Amino acid sequence: MELGTTKYIIYAELMANGYVEKHDIIGAIFGQTEGLLSSDLDLRDLQKSGRIGRIDVELDNTNGKSYAKIILPSSLDKVETAILAATLETIDRVGPCLATVRVVNVEDIRIKKRQYITNRAKELLKTLIDNMVDTYEITEEIKEYIRTEEIIEYGEEKLPAGPNIDNSDAIIVVEGRADVINLLRCGIKNVIAVEGTSIPKSIMELSREKTTTIFTDGDRGGELILKEAIQTCDIDYIARAPHGKEVEELSKKEVVKYLRSKIPIEQYIQLNANKSHVMNNYSSGVINNGVITNTQSINDLASGICNEEKVEGMSGALNNNDVDNNENINNNMSQALNKSEVSELKNKEEIKETHDNDKKDGNSNQMSYEIFKTDDYAAQLNYIKSSMEEILGTNKVKIIGDGFEEIKSIEELNEYVDKLNIDFFISDVPITQKIVDLFYKTTSVMIGREINIAKKPANLRIFSYDSFNQT
């Protein structure tokens, strides 16, 4: 149906008491309305002038009767259209058959058109907004281009570097090109990238001429590059991105924060001289340039695993949140480590072998737990680590107490939670608030792969696997 300039559509239904055809119905409409109204509303004249459209009829003949739907488009005003609709209901015969007509509805087609216009306008506006480029984005795009243009290729290896790498007295060594771009974005232009897993010769030579800070990602790859750089270059300071994050994804505020928290190479080496430390110093962790930044202090960790009286030297140096004397930290830590006689302890392989032999003798539980009644802090730490490895990937929990070790699911433990007296609660599932609320009365130490809690009871110490994996 051609709508054209149609304003309204009249919908009517006809029922004839006999068999009729479409042309009979249309003829009845024109014939029986002729002369009823003034010549201005004569259907034939209105159709010739285009003020009403073509009349459509849908006909169904059933059981000797005829049923029809009549659709009549009108460009008249609403009053004239209503009069015309009422006129249709005066039809009482179609051909030889009696008939009745009932107007079902008069629809204002302009409402649909307005709704279509509204919906389409919304779609077009959304497209326009999506395609608009914000002034800030334009500015950042131009700045990013300039920063990228600032990157130079340094040395025979053509390493990506900032424009001030030659003129500056100090340099910052990062891992890759993306790290260089991020530091340029922060206004730091004396930066150069390793661009690989081995330290290039150009960086080795630069490190001997300039004050050198190495700034690596907080992952295993960053740790390996750091260790190689310490062996092959003349490194002065060390900075690390926080655990699990990369330098290229740090914000400007974070970049400045972790570079300011860099530590001298001597302090880093001393703090990491023996891996059986109670807690190692990583850049996003416990000690950054002599200031405690981690919510889990060394004193908390040490007293959670060992006897508190054995780490007095360490806790005395670190209880203050603003320790300015790095030498004092190192001396006190060395004193604490000397007390524990770490230098005379067995290495990890020997401890593991002893632990395995205990298991073969059928006396693993009691013998292993006896470690905690000695001053063998390295053995205690390795015992906890081996317990973590034992349940890794099981989605279960290991509980350790005086003379017993058990590996259970949370559901199994929940059945007799009130009867437990656990020294160590080691979980392969994330430690949630629900687990803390269930078990904090039965244990004072919880260790989990992930920690996701809102509140912690004062007498409960909670550690993540990362705290132990980096010791």
Side-chain angles (χ1 to χ4, degrees), residues 336-354:
L337 293 173
N338 287 336
K339 284 186 178 182
S340 63
E341 299 178 348
V342 171
S343 60
E344 298 178 5
L345 294 174
K346 297 179 180 179
N347 60 30
K348 290 182 179 179
E349 289 74 17
E350 291 172 330
I351 293 168
K352 186 177 185 303
E353 183 180 352
T354 303

Side-chain angles (χ1 to χ4, degrees), residues 135 161 178 188 288 328 421:
T135 305
I188 300 171
N288 282 326
N328 187 37
N421 185 15

Side-chain angles (χ1 to χ4, degrees), residues 252-471:
K252 181 177 180 179
K253 183 178 180 180
E254 289 174 318
V255 168
V256 173
K257 172 184 175 182
Y258 295 116
L259 282 176
R260 283 179 176 173
S261 300
K262 64 187 178 183
I263 61 173
I265 183 66
E266 296 82 5
Q267 181 181 344
Y268 179 85
I269 292 173
Q270 184 171 358
L271 291 174
N272 291 275
N274 196 313
K275 286 189 178 182
S276 57
H277 270 215
V278 176
M279 189 69 169
N280 78 325
N281 173 30
Y282 51 105
S283 67
S284 64
V286 179
I287 308 173
N288 282 326
N289 204 17
V291 179
I292 298 174
T293 59
N294 197 326
T295 54
Q296 201 70 275
S297 70
I298 286 183
N299 186 43
D300 284 341
L301 183 59
S303 59
I305 300 174
C306 315
N307 297 324
E308 289 189 1
E309 60 270 17
K310 298 298 181 180
V311 289
E312 291 173 354
M314 189 183 298
S315 59
L318 299 176
N319 277 338
N320 191 325
N321 283 341
D322 291 296
V323 182
D324 295 323
N325 191 335
N326 291 335
E327 184 178 355
N328 187 37
I329 292 176
N330 297 333
N331 291 339
N332 280 278
M333 287 190 71
S334 299
Q335 181 182 355
L337 293 173
N338 287 336
K339 284 186 178 182
S340 63
E341 299 178 348
V342 171
S343 60
E344 298 178 5
L345 294 174
K346 297 179 180 179
N347 60 30
K348 290 182 179 179
E349 289 74 17
E350 291 172 330
I351 293 168
K352 186 177 185 303
E353 183 180 352
T354 303
H355 185 61
D356 291 342
N357 290 336
D358 287 340
K359 285 188 175 181
K360 291 178 183 177
D361 295 337
N363 198 23
S364 171
N365 292 350
Q366 185 62 40
M367 291 299 294
S368 298
Y369 186 81
E370 292 298 320
I371 294 171
F372 292 95
K373 298 181 180 179
T374 70
D375 292 340
D376 196 342
Y377 304 130
Q380 294 168 5
L381 191 60
N382 278 281
Y383 174 61
I384 290 176
K385 284 187 177 181
S386 66
S387 297
M388 287 158 45
E389 293 171 359
E390 186 178 354
I391 64 168
L392 199 61
T394 64
N395 288 326
K396 292 192 175 183
V397 174
K398 182 169 183 177
I399 55 174
I400 302 170
D402 192 356
F404 73 89
E405 295 179 9
E406 291 184 38
I407 297 178
K408 301 281 187 182
S409 67
I410 290 293
E411 292 76 13
E412 290 172 324
L413 287 178
N414 194 23
E415 293 178 2
Y416 56 100
V417 59
D418 296 333
K419 301 177 182 178
L420 297 175
N421 185 15
I422 307 168
D423 288 292
F424 294 95
F425 181 101
I426 304 176
S427 173
D428 186 49
V429 297
I431 293 181
T432 62
Q433 192 64 52
K434 182 178 179 181
I435 292 176
V436 170
D437 293 342
L438 278 173
F439 293 97
Y440 79 92
K441 293 181 180 178
T442 62
T443 182
S444 59
V445 178
M446 284 188 175
I447 303 165
R449 291 184 70 177
E450 299 175 25
I451 311 297
N452 185 17
I453 61 171
K455 56 190 172 94
K456 176 178 75 70
N459 63 336
L460 179 65
R461 293 182 175 87
I462 303 180
F463 308 105
S464 69
Y465 277 25
D466 291 340
S467 302
F468 295 90
N469 290 333
Q470 298 196 40
T471 57

